[in-house]
Amino acid sequence: NTIGLIQPCLFTVFPNAKICIGDNVGISGSTLRSTISITIGNNVMIGSGCLITDTDDHPLDARQRQEENFYKNTVSSPVVIYDDVFIGARSIILKGVTIGQGAVIGAGSIVTKDVAPHTIVAGNPAKEIKVISD
């Protein structure tokens, strides 16, 4: 990847969680962190430095973060990325998001909500820019 790899690929899978990756998927120096599940379809391209996570990783309540096993109070929800999706470099896909077939995520975007099929989104938070037509 000529944009530059800022890190190796890192997959963190908690006990009883899963990461399922389809055929012909390209991942450039990105992090996938699963406490429940991350599912990636076929022919997906994930740019350099992306983060895909199905969990908040820490509770929002400061008192809960002080507890010894604070992670038990985190919120998690599966991530699903359908076929033919392109995720631009340095994007972040957060818990509970579904990205529809053929969607494009602009570089540096933070995706907090579902993305419709064949739609371009970008920004922080990611918003619809355009529907891709045939």
mmCIF file of all heavy atoms in Angstrom, residues 15-63:
data_model
loop_
_atom_site.group_PDB
_atom_site.id
_atom_site.type_symbol
_atom_site.label_atom_id
_atom_site.label_comp_id
_atom_site.label_asym_id
_atom_site.label_seq_id
_atom_site.Cartn_x
_atom_site.Cartn_y
_atom_site.Cartn_z
ATOM 1 N N PRO A 15 -12.402 -14.300 24.342
ATOM 2 C CA PRO A 15 -13.011 -15.636 24.421
ATOM 3 C C PRO A 15 -14.492 -15.588 24.017
ATOM 4 O O PRO A 15 -15.199 -14.651 24.362
ATOM 5 C CB PRO A 15 -12.874 -15.996 25.906
ATOM 6 C CG PRO A 15 -11.702 -15.195 26.375
ATOM 7 C CD PRO A 15 -11.757 -13.910 25.601
ATOM 8 N N ASN A 16 -14.905 -16.575 23.245
ATOM 9 C CA ASN A 16 -16.276 -16.712 22.734
ATOM 10 C C ASN A 16 -16.656 -15.663 21.694
ATOM 11 O O ASN A 16 -17.812 -15.581 21.297
ATOM 12 C CB ASN A 16 -17.302 -16.720 23.871
ATOM 13 C CG ASN A 16 -17.046 -17.829 24.856
ATOM 14 O OD1 ASN A 16 -16.772 -18.958 24.470
ATOM 15 N ND2 ASN A 16 -17.087 -17.508 26.131
ATOM 16 N N ALA A 17 -15.734 -14.841 21.265
ATOM 17 C CA ALA A 17 -15.982 -13.861 20.204
ATOM 18 C C ALA A 17 -15.451 -14.420 18.892
ATOM 19 O O ALA A 17 -14.781 -15.446 18.871
ATOM 20 C CB ALA A 17 -15.291 -12.546 20.531
ATOM 21 N N LYS A 18 -15.756 -13.729 17.782
ATOM 22 C CA LYS A 18 -15.252 -14.201 16.497
ATOM 23 C C LYS A 18 -15.024 -13.050 15.524
ATOM 24 O O LYS A 18 -15.656 -12.003 15.619
ATOM 25 C CB LYS A 18 -16.212 -15.217 15.883
ATOM 26 C CG LYS A 18 -17.570 -14.647 15.546
ATOM 27 C CD LYS A 18 -18.502 -15.703 14.997
ATOM 28 C CE LYS A 18 -19.872 -15.099 14.734
ATOM 29 N NZ LYS A 18 -20.785 -16.037 14.125
ATOM 30 N N ILE A 19 -14.109 -13.286 14.613
ATOM 31 C CA ILE A 19 -13.891 -12.428 13.455
ATOM 32 C C ILE A 19 -13.974 -13.343 12.249
ATOM 33 O O ILE A 19 -13.195 -14.290 12.135
ATOM 34 C CB ILE A 19 -12.524 -11.713 13.509
ATOM 35 C CG1 ILE A 19 -12.462 -10.760 14.707
ATOM 36 C CG2 ILE A 19 -12.284 -10.957 12.199
ATOM 37 C CD1 ILE A 19 -11.110 -10.090 14.897
ATOM 38 N N CYS A 20 -14.931 -13.080 11.363
ATOM 39 C CA CYS A 20 -15.113 -13.875 10.139
ATOM 40 C C CYS A 20 -14.781 -12.989 8.945
ATOM 41 O O CYS A 20 -15.372 -11.922 8.784
ATOM 42 C CB CYS A 20 -16.553 -14.371 10.028
ATOM 43 S SG CYS A 20 -17.047 -15.453 11.363
ATOM 44 N N ILE A 21 -13.836 -13.449 8.122
ATOM 45 C CA ILE A 21 -13.380 -12.673 6.970
ATOM 46 C C ILE A 21 -13.628 -13.482 5.711
ATOM 47 O O ILE A 21 -13.196 -14.634 5.610
ATOM 48 C CB ILE A 21 -11.888 -12.318 7.114
ATOM 49 C CG1 ILE A 21 -11.677 -11.471 8.385
ATOM 50 C CG2 ILE A 21 -11.390 -11.574 5.878
ATOM 51 C CD1 ILE A 21 -10.237 -11.174 8.703
ATOM 52 N N GLY A 22 -14.303 -12.872 4.733
ATOM 53 C CA GLY A 22 -14.633 -13.536 3.479
ATOM 54 C C GLY A 22 -13.435 -13.681 2.561
ATOM 55 O O GLY A 22 -12.279 -13.453 2.940
ATOM 56 N N ASP A 23 -13.722 -14.027 1.311
ATOM 57 C CA ASP A 23 -12.693 -14.227 0.291
ATOM 58 C C ASP A 23 -12.269 -12.910 -0.341
ATOM 59 O O ASP A 23 -13.075 -11.979 -0.458
ATOM 60 C CB ASP A 23 -13.226 -15.157 -0.809
ATOM 61 C CG ASP A 23 -13.515 -16.560 -0.287
ATOM 62 O OD1 ASP A 23 -12.800 -17.022 0.622
ATOM 63 O OD2 ASP A 23 -14.464 -17.187 -0.798
ATOM 64 N N ASN A 24 -11.014 -12.856 -0.776
ATOM 65 C CA ASN A 24 -10.479 -11.724 -1.527
ATOM 66 C C ASN A 24 -10.608 -10.418 -0.749
ATOM 67 O O ASN A 24 -11.023 -9.394 -1.288
ATOM 68 C CB ASN A 24 -11.163 -11.616 -2.893
ATOM 69 C CG ASN A 24 -10.391 -10.731 -3.839
ATOM 70 O OD1 ASN A 24 -9.162 -10.702 -3.821
ATOM 71 N ND2 ASN A 24 -11.116 -9.980 -4.656
ATOM 72 N N VAL A 25 -10.254 -10.450 0.531
ATOM 73 C CA VAL A 25 -10.307 -9.270 1.396
ATOM 74 C C VAL A 25 -8.892 -8.736 1.569
ATOM 75 O O VAL A 25 -7.970 -9.498 1.848
ATOM 76 C CB VAL A 25 -10.927 -9.618 2.766
ATOM 77 C CG1 VAL A 25 -10.807 -8.451 3.736
ATOM 78 C CG2 VAL A 25 -12.381 -10.031 2.594
ATOM 79 N N GLY A 26 -8.720 -7.430 1.404
ATOM 80 C CA GLY A 26 -7.434 -6.784 1.611
ATOM 81 C C GLY A 26 -7.484 -5.909 2.846
ATOM 82 O O GLY A 26 -8.368 -5.062 2.966
ATOM 83 N N ILE A 27 -6.551 -6.120 3.764
ATOM 84 C CA ILE A 27 -6.488 -5.329 4.992
ATOM 85 C C ILE A 27 -5.071 -4.791 5.120
ATOM 86 O O ILE A 27 -4.118 -5.558 5.211
ATOM 87 C CB ILE A 27 -6.851 -6.174 6.231
ATOM 88 C CG1 ILE A 27 -8.240 -6.797 6.081
ATOM 89 C CG2 ILE A 27 -6.778 -5.312 7.500
ATOM 90 C CD1 ILE A 27 -8.612 -7.771 7.187
ATOM 91 N N SER A 28 -4.926 -3.473 5.136
ATOM 92 C CA SER A 28 -3.610 -2.843 5.207
ATOM 93 C C SER A 28 -3.378 -2.267 6.591
ATOM 94 O O SER A 28 -3.955 -1.235 6.944
ATOM 95 C CB SER A 28 -3.506 -1.714 4.179
ATOM 96 O OG SER A 28 -3.617 -2.217 2.877
ATOM 97 N N GLY A 29 -2.574 -2.917 7.385
ATOM 98 C CA GLY A 29 -2.152 -2.370 8.670
ATOM 99 C C GLY A 29 -3.278 -1.814 9.508
ATOM 100 O O GLY A 29 -3.248 -0.645 9.874
ATOM 101 N N SER A 30 -4.271 -2.608 9.832
ATOM 102 C CA SER A 30 -5.439 -2.156 10.583
ATOM 103 C C SER A 30 -5.639 -3.025 11.823
ATOM 104 O O SER A 30 -5.059 -4.094 11.944
ATOM 105 C CB SER A 30 -6.687 -2.215 9.699
ATOM 106 O OG SER A 30 -6.593 -1.262 8.658
ATOM 107 N N THR A 31 -6.502 -2.550 12.724
ATOM 108 C CA THR A 31 -6.814 -3.270 13.949
ATOM 109 C C THR A 31 -8.282 -3.679 13.939
ATOM 110 O O THR A 31 -9.152 -2.844 13.693
ATOM 111 C CB THR A 31 -6.546 -2.391 15.185
ATOM 112 O OG1 THR A 31 -5.159 -2.058 15.218
ATOM 113 C CG2 THR A 31 -6.929 -3.103 16.467
ATOM 114 N N LEU A 32 -8.541 -4.963 14.212
ATOM 115 C CA LEU A 32 -9.893 -5.479 14.403
ATOM 116 C C LEU A 32 -9.955 -6.017 15.823
ATOM 117 O O LEU A 32 -9.118 -6.841 16.205
ATOM 118 C CB LEU A 32 -10.219 -6.590 13.412
ATOM 119 C CG LEU A 32 -10.613 -6.155 11.992
ATOM 120 C CD1 LEU A 32 -9.463 -5.526 11.252
ATOM 121 C CD2 LEU A 32 -11.150 -7.342 11.229
ATOM 122 N N ARG A 33 -10.927 -5.534 16.603
ATOM 123 C CA ARG A 33 -11.049 -5.927 18.015
ATOM 124 C C ARG A 33 -12.460 -6.424 18.250
ATOM 125 O O ARG A 33 -13.413 -5.665 18.127
ATOM 126 C CB ARG A 33 -10.740 -4.736 18.900
ATOM 127 C CG ARG A 33 -10.771 -5.038 20.373
ATOM 128 C CD ARG A 33 -10.152 -3.862 21.121
ATOM 129 N NE ARG A 33 -10.205 -4.020 22.553
ATOM 130 C CZ ARG A 33 -9.359 -4.749 23.273
ATOM 131 N NH1 ARG A 33 -8.400 -5.419 22.674
ATOM 132 N NH2 ARG A 33 -9.471 -4.817 24.581
ATOM 133 N N SER A 34 -12.598 -7.702 18.605
ATOM 134 C CA SER A 34 -13.916 -8.315 18.737
ATOM 135 C C SER A 34 -14.139 -8.902 20.124
ATOM 136 O O SER A 34 -13.355 -9.729 20.587
ATOM 137 C CB SER A 34 -14.086 -9.420 17.695
ATOM 138 O OG SER A 34 -15.341 -10.048 17.838
ATOM 139 N N THR A 35 -15.247 -8.476 20.748
ATOM 140 C CA THR A 35 -15.696 -9.106 21.989
ATOM 141 C C THR A 35 -16.963 -9.930 21.744
ATOM 142 O O THR A 35 -17.315 -10.753 22.570
ATOM 143 C CB THR A 35 -15.985 -8.066 23.089
ATOM 144 O OG1 THR A 35 -17.017 -7.187 22.645
ATOM 145 C CG2 THR A 35 -14.731 -7.283 23.427
ATOM 146 N N ILE A 36 -17.627 -9.685 20.605
ATOM 147 C CA ILE A 36 -18.807 -10.461 20.198
ATOM 148 C C ILE A 36 -18.563 -11.016 18.799
ATOM 149 O O ILE A 36 -18.307 -12.182 18.626
ATOM 150 C CB ILE A 36 -20.093 -9.612 20.219
ATOM 151 C CG1 ILE A 36 -20.412 -9.138 21.635
ATOM 152 C CG2 ILE A 36 -21.268 -10.406 19.665
ATOM 153 C CD1 ILE A 36 -21.591 -8.215 21.719
ATOM 154 N N SER A 37 -18.674 -10.133 17.778
ATOM 155 C CA SER A 37 -18.377 -10.597 16.419
ATOM 156 C C SER A 37 -18.183 -9.435 15.455
ATOM 157 O O SER A 37 -18.840 -8.403 15.550
ATOM 158 C CB SER A 37 -19.476 -11.528 15.889
ATOM 159 O OG SER A 37 -20.620 -10.808 15.553
ATOM 160 N N ILE A 38 -17.250 -9.670 14.543
ATOM 161 C CA ILE A 38 -17.038 -8.809 13.383
ATOM 162 C C ILE A 38 -17.097 -9.729 12.182
ATOM 163 O O ILE A 38 -16.375 -10.726 12.113
ATOM 164 C CB ILE A 38 -15.674 -8.090 13.449
ATOM 165 C CG1 ILE A 38 -15.621 -7.147 14.653
ATOM 166 C CG2 ILE A 38 -15.405 -7.342 12.142
ATOM 167 C CD1 ILE A 38 -14.246 -6.541 14.906
ATOM 168 N N THR A 39 -17.973 -9.396 11.229
ATOM 169 C CA THR A 39 -18.127 -10.198 10.016
ATOM 170 C C THR A 39 -17.822 -9.312 8.817
ATOM 171 O O THR A 39 -18.409 -8.237 8.664
ATOM 172 C CB THR A 39 -19.563 -10.750 9.903
ATOM 173 O OG1 THR A 39 -19.853 -11.510 11.089
ATOM 174 C CG2 THR A 39 -19.707 -11.639 8.683
ATOM 175 N N ILE A 40 -16.897 -9.775 7.978
ATOM 176 C CA ILE A 40 -16.485 -9.041 6.780
ATOM 177 C C ILE A 40 -16.763 -9.928 5.577
ATOM 178 O O ILE A 40 -16.309 -11.070 5.532
ATOM 179 C CB ILE A 40 -14.996 -8.660 6.855
ATOM 180 C CG1 ILE A 40 -14.752 -7.762 8.080
ATOM 181 C CG2 ILE A 40 -14.544 -7.977 5.565
ATOM 182 C CD1 ILE A 40 -13.301 -7.486 8.362
ATOM 183 N N GLY A 41 -17.503 -9.398 4.605
ATOM 184 C CA GLY A 41 -17.872 -10.161 3.415
ATOM 185 C C GLY A 41 -16.725 -10.321 2.437
ATOM 186 O O GLY A 41 -15.545 -10.100 2.759
ATOM 187 N N ASN A 42 -17.068 -10.659 1.211
ATOM 188 C CA ASN A 42 -16.094 -10.889 0.143
ATOM 189 C C ASN A 42 -15.731 -9.586 -0.564
ATOM 190 O O ASN A 42 -16.535 -8.652 -0.633
ATOM 191 C CB ASN A 42 -16.671 -11.858 -0.890
ATOM 192 C CG ASN A 42 -17.008 -13.202 -0.285
ATOM 193 O OD1 ASN A 42 -16.254 -13.736 0.524
ATOM 194 N ND2 ASN A 42 -18.147 -13.748 -0.669
ATOM 195 N N ASN A 43 -14.521 -9.550 -1.116
ATOM 196 C CA ASN A 43 -14.064 -8.433 -1.951
ATOM 197 C C ASN A 43 -14.104 -7.096 -1.229
ATOM 198 O O ASN A 43 -14.442 -6.067 -1.817
ATOM 199 C CB ASN A 43 -14.879 -8.365 -3.251
ATOM 200 C CG ASN A 43 -14.850 -9.666 -3.994
ATOM 201 O OD1 ASN A 43 -13.782 -10.225 -4.234
ATOM 202 N ND2 ASN A 43 -16.022 -10.186 -4.320
ATOM 203 N N VAL A 44 -13.745 -7.101 0.045
ATOM 204 C CA VAL A 44 -13.710 -5.885 0.852
ATOM 205 C C VAL A 44 -12.270 -5.380 0.909
ATOM 206 O O VAL A 44 -11.333 -6.167 1.033
ATOM 207 C CB VAL A 44 -14.250 -6.162 2.276
ATOM 208 C CG1 VAL A 44 -14.045 -4.958 3.187
ATOM 209 C CG2 VAL A 44 -15.722 -6.555 2.211
ATOM 210 N N MET A 45 -12.106 -4.064 0.818
ATOM 211 C CA MET A 45 -10.788 -3.442 0.937
ATOM 212 C C MET A 45 -10.798 -2.530 2.157
ATOM 213 O O MET A 45 -11.657 -1.653 2.285
ATOM 214 C CB MET A 45 -10.458 -2.643 -0.317
ATOM 215 C CG MET A 45 -10.326 -3.507 -1.565
ATOM 216 S SD MET A 45 -10.087 -2.539 -3.075
ATOM 217 C CE MET A 45 -8.539 -1.743 -2.724
ATOM 218 N N ILE A 46 -9.838 -2.737 3.050
ATOM 219 C CA ILE A 46 -9.736 -1.949 4.276
ATOM 220 C C ILE A 46 -8.393 -1.237 4.254
ATOM 221 O O ILE A 46 -7.339 -1.876 4.261
ATOM 222 C CB ILE A 46 -9.876 -2.848 5.522
ATOM 223 C CG1 ILE A 46 -11.248 -3.544 5.498
ATOM 224 C CG2 ILE A 46 -9.692 -2.023 6.796
ATOM 225 C CD1 ILE A 46 -11.440 -4.586 6.573
ATOM 226 N N GLY A 47 -8.434 0.078 4.212
ATOM 227 C CA GLY A 47 -7.232 0.884 4.064
ATOM 228 C C GLY A 47 -6.341 0.898 5.290
ATOM 229 O O GLY A 47 -6.702 0.427 6.377
ATOM 230 N N SER A 48 -5.182 1.474 5.120
ATOM 231 C CA SER A 48 -4.152 1.535 6.148
ATOM 232 C C SER A 48 -4.634 2.277 7.394
ATOM 233 O O SER A 48 -5.263 3.321 7.312
ATOM 234 C CB SER A 48 -2.931 2.239 5.569
ATOM 235 O OG SER A 48 -1.924 2.367 6.522
ATOM 236 N N GLY A 49 -4.333 1.704 8.550
ATOM 237 C CA GLY A 49 -4.577 2.385 9.813
ATOM 238 C C GLY A 49 -6.019 2.430 10.269
ATOM 239 O O GLY A 49 -6.371 3.250 11.113
ATOM 240 N N CYS A 50 -6.870 1.554 9.767
ATOM 241 C CA CYS A 50 -8.277 1.541 10.188
ATOM 242 C C CYS A 50 -8.436 0.798 11.511
ATOM 243 O O CYS A 50 -7.613 -0.027 11.886
ATOM 244 C CB CYS A 50 -9.148 0.864 9.131
ATOM 245 S SG CYS A 50 -9.316 1.840 7.626
ATOM 246 N N LEU A 51 -9.522 1.115 12.208
ATOM 247 C CA LEU A 51 -9.906 0.424 13.425
ATOM 248 C C LEU A 51 -11.346 -0.034 13.260
ATOM 249 O O LEU A 51 -12.217 0.776 12.922
ATOM 250 C CB LEU A 51 -9.798 1.340 14.645
ATOM 251 C CG LEU A 51 -10.465 0.840 15.939
ATOM 252 C CD1 LEU A 51 -9.799 -0.438 16.440
ATOM 253 C CD2 LEU A 51 -10.443 1.921 17.003
ATOM 254 N N ILE A 52 -11.592 -1.321 13.478
ATOM 255 C CA ILE A 52 -12.951 -1.864 13.475
ATOM 256 C C ILE A 52 -13.130 -2.549 14.820
ATOM 257 O O ILE A 52 -12.385 -3.469 15.161
ATOM 258 C CB ILE A 52 -13.156 -2.856 12.315
ATOM 259 C CG1 ILE A 52 -12.907 -2.160 10.972
ATOM 260 C CG2 ILE A 52 -14.566 -3.449 12.371
ATOM 261 C CD1 ILE A 52 -12.894 -3.101 9.774
ATOM 262 N N THR A 53 -14.116 -2.091 15.591
ATOM 263 C CA THR A 53 -14.319 -2.625 16.932
ATOM 264 C C THR A 53 -15.802 -2.803 17.222
ATOM 265 O O THR A 53 -16.617 -1.987 16.804
ATOM 266 C CB THR A 53 -13.668 -1.726 18.001
ATOM 267 O OG1 THR A 53 -13.842 -2.321 19.287
ATOM 268 C CG2 THR A 53 -14.232 -0.324 17.993
ATOM 269 N N ASP A 54 -16.124 -3.866 17.932
ATOM 270 C CA ASP A 54 -17.522 -4.130 18.290
ATOM 271 C C ASP A 54 -17.807 -3.785 19.748
ATOM 272 O O ASP A 54 -18.806 -4.192 20.312
ATOM 273 C CB ASP A 54 -17.897 -5.582 17.992
ATOM 274 C CG ASP A 54 -17.191 -6.594 18.873
ATOM 275 O OD1 ASP A 54 -16.392 -6.190 19.739
ATOM 276 O OD2 ASP A 54 -17.440 -7.797 18.695
ATOM 277 N N THR A 55 -16.925 -3.009 20.373
ATOM 278 C CA THR A 55 -17.068 -2.711 21.794
ATOM 279 C C THR A 55 -16.601 -1.297 22.116
ATOM 280 O O THR A 55 -15.749 -0.745 21.430
ATOM 281 C CB THR A 55 -16.267 -3.721 22.642
ATOM 282 O OG1 THR A 55 -16.496 -3.436 24.031
ATOM 283 C CG2 THR A 55 -14.794 -3.691 22.345
ATOM 284 N N ASP A 56 -17.151 -0.749 23.203
ATOM 285 C CA ASP A 56 -16.666 0.541 23.709
ATOM 286 C C ASP A 56 -15.329 0.377 24.427
ATOM 287 O O ASP A 56 -14.602 1.340 24.619
ATOM 288 C CB ASP A 56 -17.669 1.146 24.699
ATOM 289 C CG ASP A 56 -18.878 1.745 24.011
ATOM 290 O OD1 ASP A 56 -18.829 2.006 22.799
ATOM 291 O OD2 ASP A 56 -19.894 1.948 24.706
ATOM 292 N N ASP A 57 -15.033 -0.832 24.867
ATOM 293 C CA ASP A 57 -13.792 -1.178 25.565
ATOM 294 C C ASP A 57 -13.724 -0.688 27.008
ATOM 295 O O ASP A 57 -13.003 -1.262 27.800
ATOM 296 C CB ASP A 57 -12.557 -0.685 24.828
ATOM 297 C CG ASP A 57 -11.776 -1.820 24.218
ATOM 298 O OD1 ASP A 57 -11.930 -2.966 24.644
ATOM 299 O OD2 ASP A 57 -10.978 -1.538 23.315
ATOM 300 N N HIS A 58 -14.403 0.379 27.318
ATOM 301 C CA HIS A 58 -14.420 0.894 28.687
ATOM 302 C C HIS A 58 -15.829 1.388 28.990
ATOM 303 O O HIS A 58 -16.489 1.952 28.119
ATOM 304 C CB HIS A 58 -13.456 2.070 28.858
ATOM 305 C CG HIS A 58 -12.039 1.722 28.563
ATOM 306 N ND1 HIS A 58 -11.511 1.804 27.297
ATOM 307 C CD2 HIS A 58 -11.055 1.264 29.365
ATOM 308 C CE1 HIS A 58 -10.243 1.427 27.341
ATOM 309 N NE2 HIS A 58 -9.948 1.095 28.574
ATOM 310 N N PRO A 59 -16.290 1.239 30.245
ATOM 311 C CA PRO A 59 -17.593 1.803 30.594
ATOM 312 C C PRO A 59 -17.533 3.332 30.569
ATOM 313 O O PRO A 59 -16.462 3.922 30.780
ATOM 314 C CB PRO A 59 -17.851 1.278 32.004
ATOM 315 C CG PRO A 59 -16.587 0.700 32.498
ATOM 316 C CD PRO A 59 -15.679 0.508 31.343
ATOM 317 N N LEU A 60 -18.654 3.965 30.316
ATOM 318 C CA LEU A 60 -18.703 5.425 30.299
ATOM 319 C C LEU A 60 -18.688 6.004 31.709
ATOM 320 O O LEU A 60 -18.169 7.095 31.935
ATOM 321 C CB LEU A 60 -19.952 5.894 29.554
ATOM 322 C CG LEU A 60 -19.999 5.510 28.071
ATOM 323 C CD1 LEU A 60 -21.294 5.976 27.439
ATOM 324 C CD2 LEU A 60 -18.805 6.064 27.320
ATOM 325 N N ASP A 61 -19.239 5.277 32.665
ATOM 326 C CA ASP A 61 -19.309 5.722 34.049
ATOM 327 C C ASP A 61 -17.926 5.635 34.696
ATOM 328 O O ASP A 61 -17.326 4.558 34.769
ATOM 329 C CB ASP A 61 -20.316 4.846 34.805
ATOM 330 C CG ASP A 61 -20.549 5.312 36.228
ATOM 331 O OD1 ASP A 61 -19.551 5.486 36.978
ATOM 332 O OD2 ASP A 61 -21.722 5.476 36.604
ATOM 333 N N ALA A 62 -17.412 6.754 35.180
ATOM 334 C CA ALA A 62 -16.072 6.800 35.768
ATOM 335 C C ALA A 62 -15.927 5.852 36.954
ATOM 336 O O ALA A 62 -14.869 5.241 37.150
ATOM 337 C CB ALA A 62 -15.725 8.224 36.194
ATOM 338 N N ARG A 63 -16.976 5.709 37.754
ATOM 339 C CA ARG A 63 -16.909 4.801 38.907
ATOM 340 C C ARG A 63 -16.723 3.356 38.450
ATOM 341 O O ARG A 63 -15.975 2.601 39.066
ATOM 342 C CB ARG A 63 -18.163 4.936 39.764
ATOM 343 C CG ARG A 63 -18.230 6.287 40.498
ATOM 344 C CD ARG A 63 -19.579 6.491 41.089
ATOM 345 N NE ARG A 63 -20.495 6.542 39.934
ATOM 346 C CZ ARG A 63 -21.791 6.748 39.998
ATOM 347 N NH1 ARG A 63 -22.367 6.877 41.160
ATOM 348 N NH2 ARG A 63 -22.536 6.796 38.921
#
